[in-house]
Amino acid sequence: MPLDKLVCGFLETTVNKLQQLDSSALQRRKQLNGTIIGVALKEINKPLYFVISTQQIDILSEYEGQADCFIRLNISALKELQNNHQLTHLIKTEQLEVEGDIQIVQRFARLLTEMDIDWEEHLSVIIGDILAHKLYYEFKQCRKNASLQIKKIEKQSGEYITEELKIAPGPLEVVYFCEQVNDIKKQVDALEKRLQQGFASSNKLTRNIR
Amino acid sequence: MSNQSENTTHFGFKTVQEDTKADLVADVFHSVAAKYDVMNDVLSMGVHRVWKRFTIDCSGIRKGQKVLDLAGGTGDLTAKFSRIVGQTGQVTLADINDSMLKVGRSKLRDLGIVGNVSYVQANAEELPFPDNHFDLITIAFGLRNVTDKDKALASMYRVLKPGGRLLVLEFSKPLYKPLSKFYDFYSFNVLPKLGKLIANDSESYQYLAESIRMHPCQETLKEMMNSANFEGSEYFNLSGGIVALHRGYKY
Ligand SMILES: C[S@@+](CC[C@H](N)C(=O)[O-])C[C@H]1O[C@@H](n2cnc3c(N)ncnc32)[C@H](O)[C@@H]1O
């Protein structure tokens, strides 16, 4: 199967490129040096083996020995791995199965997800300090603008729905509506009281007649 | 051919005295050693990495095992094996050529690979290791350069542990006509030119192209492995048979 070799090769190159950019990765790999971790996605059922050494991470599609730790998980659980507190939750809900030391899994998840990459720094090696700073600044500005825009859009579409379409009520309308509901509730309570009093006295009456 | 087989052998398409082939091969690799890795990537368009990955996957290598990377050159396979077998394992990089060994050693050092790798200058025909010593022997793109291949196979069999495996990764015979036409054109016209351009050495790459053609085809090599007592011998064609991986066991 040359395809899975290609996939493995591609994955390995990508992962190690990221590892090289991450200033804390070496320290994390040291903690796991010499560990072999098998990972299988339940949906695909084709395990990959991660061989971790101080030099790099090697990814194999076959390993005939016993891995130090083997995990099986749902694709949807991949995202949650970042969050180390989630691990026990994932295990409880059977989205993640672990054979071996849970601490290894925690370290491994941290190695792959908590990357500390200074993009500006790396960019500057390629294109020079000033340009990198500018680009990175622009990028951050873009991102800020984008999130501002998104908030604005959210607000505007909210207004549009309430004012123009009248699908949803505005805040004052809601308060007014609630007050009306309260009034009615009071009136209903009063009515109920009076009704009960009425019943009570009519009961007395009928008993006296007999 | 039989009348010359006593003491002559092939050096590419030329027929030379057996005792001079080793020297000629040595000259080739002395001259390409420095540029070897770059040339590998350029000439195979990076595909040699996939071939080597396939080899690793077929090796059954495990933590703590002993590996011999024979004709290991600049040590691509050694690097991977070293990480997989870990500190409890042992990898031996053996090559007949000390220029290649030197390049290999400094490359691996730079990669931070130390501790479980040893470097040995050795001829595949007479391996200087005890009997039943290695769990795995690989020889990648090396066997075609060896003068007496049967002798080399027998020597590998001797140093392999019972239960161990031999993997031979080598150029072979393309399965399809059009592919082999293109391949011929590539190796005799493009390859030496690229060799000239990048390593300023067209002759070595002319030799490469010729030695590939003279190498035994898939079935013949399998037979040779069987005659050297290997069992369960089989091969996998890669890239349409341009390369084949042969695997045999010693029981
Ligand atoms: C094409 S290189 C392969 C290097 C490496 N295995 C790779 O795949 O990149 C072939 C190597 O075989 C070595 N070689 C040639 N004849 C040999 C022999 N008789 N014994 C051991 N090594 C030999 C050469 O010195 C050279 O380094």
Side-chain angles (χ1 to χ4, degrees), chain A residues 11 36-42 44-52 59-61 67 69-74 78 81 96-97 105 108-109 112:
Chain A
L11 200 65
I36 300 182
I37 300 167
V39 178
L41 293 176
K42 289 186 183 170
I44 305 178
N45 205 19
K46 167 88 191 109
L48 292 182
Y49 296 89
F50 292 73
V51 180
I52 301 171
I59 304 178
L60 312 175
S61 58
C69 180
F70 198 95
I71 62 186
R72 298 169 57 76
L73 77 172
N74 291 98
L78 267 183
L81 274 187
L96 171 69
E97 291 163 29
V105 184
F108 181 56
L112 293 185

Side-chain angles (χ1 to χ4, degrees), chain A:
Chain A
M1 270 289 268
L3 192 67
D4 62 323
K5 310 286 175 281
L6 274 180
V7 172
C8 262
F10 183 72
L11 200 65
E12 188 180 296
T13 314
T14 316
V15 166
N16 285 301
K17 273 271 151 11
L18 287 172
Q19 291 276 305
Q20 278 165 18
L21 295 179
D22 177 358
S23 50
S24 59
L26 176 63
Q27 196 50 42
R28 296 205 172 120
R29 281 202 308 277
K30 264 188 192 147
Q31 291 183 335
L32 285 169
N33 189 25
T35 317
I36 300 182
I37 300 167
V39 178
L41 293 176
K42 289 186 183 170
E43 287 84 352
I44 305 178
N45 205 19
K46 167 88 191 109
L48 292 182
Y49 296 89
F50 292 73
V51 180
I52 301 171
S53 58
T54 38
Q55 296 116 40
Q56 67 168 77
I57 300 177
D58 291 277
I59 304 178
L60 312 175
S61 58
E62 315 274 340
Y63 181 68
E64 293 179 22
Q66 175 78 33
D68 297 294
C69 180
F70 198 95
I71 62 186
R72 298 169 57 76
L73 77 172
N74 291 98
I75 290 182
S76 57
L78 267 183
K79 235 180 35 227
E80 319 275 330
L81 274 187
Q82 318 196 20
N83 198 341
N84 257 314
H85 323 294
Q86 285 288 332
L87 286 185
T88 39
H89 172 69
L90 288 176
I91 291 174
K92 267 190 208 135
T93 53
E94 294 185 348
Q95 296 184 74
L96 171 69
E97 291 163 29
V98 178
E99 267 168 52
D101 188 351
I102 179 88
Q103 210 185 341
I104 295 183
V105 184
Q106 274 167 343
R107 286 191 175 148
F108 181 56
R110 227 174 288 147
L111 176 67
L112 293 185
T113 57
E114 277 178 25
M115 281 188 240
D116 176 16
I117 300 178
D118 185 350
W119 291 107
E120 186 179 336
E121 172 69 28
H122 294 299
L123 213 55
S124 74
V125 177
I126 309 171
I127 58 175
D129 284 339
I130 299 172
L131 204 57
H133 181 71
K134 262 209 142 108
L135 263 180
Y136 192 61
Y137 178 77
E138 289 296 326
F139 172 72
K140 276 202 294 204
Q141 209 63 24
C142 264
R143 209 164 56 174
K144 215 159 99 192
N145 282 342
S147 65
L148 271 180
Q149 287 299 335
I150 288 173
K151 277 211 188 96
K152 216 161 135 193
I153 289 171
E154 275 171 1
K155 196 169 153 234
Q156 277 175 351
S157 54
E159 274 171 14
Y160 183 71
I161 289 171
T162 52
E163 301 293 312
E164 307 287 326
L165 290 180
K166 303 258 185 228
I167 299 174
L172 278 178
E173 278 177 300
V174 175
V175 172
Y176 179 62
F177 177 73
C178 290
E179 271 170 11
Q180 279 182 321
V181 171
N182 275 341
D183 281 351
I184 293 177
K185 201 172 167 239
K186 273 180 204 150
Q187 286 171 4
V188 170
D189 286 346
L191 188 65
E192 204 185 348
K193 237 185 205 153
R194 280 173 57 189
L195 275 177
Q196 270 169 359
Q197 281 169 358
F199 277 133
S201 51
S202 70
N203 273 351
K204 252 188 228 158
L205 255 177
T206 44
R207 238 178 278 147
N208 288 349
I209 288 171
R210 280 199 208 132

Side-chain angles (χ1 to χ4, degrees), chain A residues 5-6 8-9 12 34-36 51 53 55-56 58-65 68, chain B residues 50 53-54 56-63 80 82-84 111-114 165 247:
Chain A
K5 310 286 175 281
L6 274 180
C8 262
E12 188 180 296
T35 317
I36 300 182
V51 180
S53 58
Q55 296 116 40
Q56 67 168 77
D58 291 277
I59 304 178
L60 312 175
S61 58
E62 315 274 340
Y63 181 68
E64 293 179 22
D68 297 294
Chain B
V50 182
R53 193 169 275 282
F54 186 82
I56 307 254
D57 280 347
C58 287
S59 69
I61 186 70
R62 273 177 274 153
K63 248 188 208 180
K80 267 229 144 60
S82 150
R83 293 190 290 258
I84 299 173
L111 286 175
I113 292 172
V114 280
R165 297 181 198 188
R247 174 162 71 177

Side-chain angles (χ1 to χ4, degrees), chain B residues 82-127:
Chain B
S82 150
R83 293 190 290 258
I84 299 173
V85 299
Q87 287 310 314
T88 51
Q90 174 70 37
V91 186
T92 306
L93 174 63
D95 200 292
I96 200 168
N97 188 299
D98 66 330
S99 300
M100 290 294 275
L101 272 180
K102 266 186 209 136
V103 174
R105 187 200 297 250
S106 68
K107 178 174 113 183
L108 297 188
R109 286 251 167 95
D110 289 348
L111 286 175
I113 292 172
V114 280
N116 63 358
V117 178
S118 53
Y119 303 83
V120 176
Q121 188 175 3
N123 185 344
E125 294 168 20
E126 287 157 29
L127 291 171

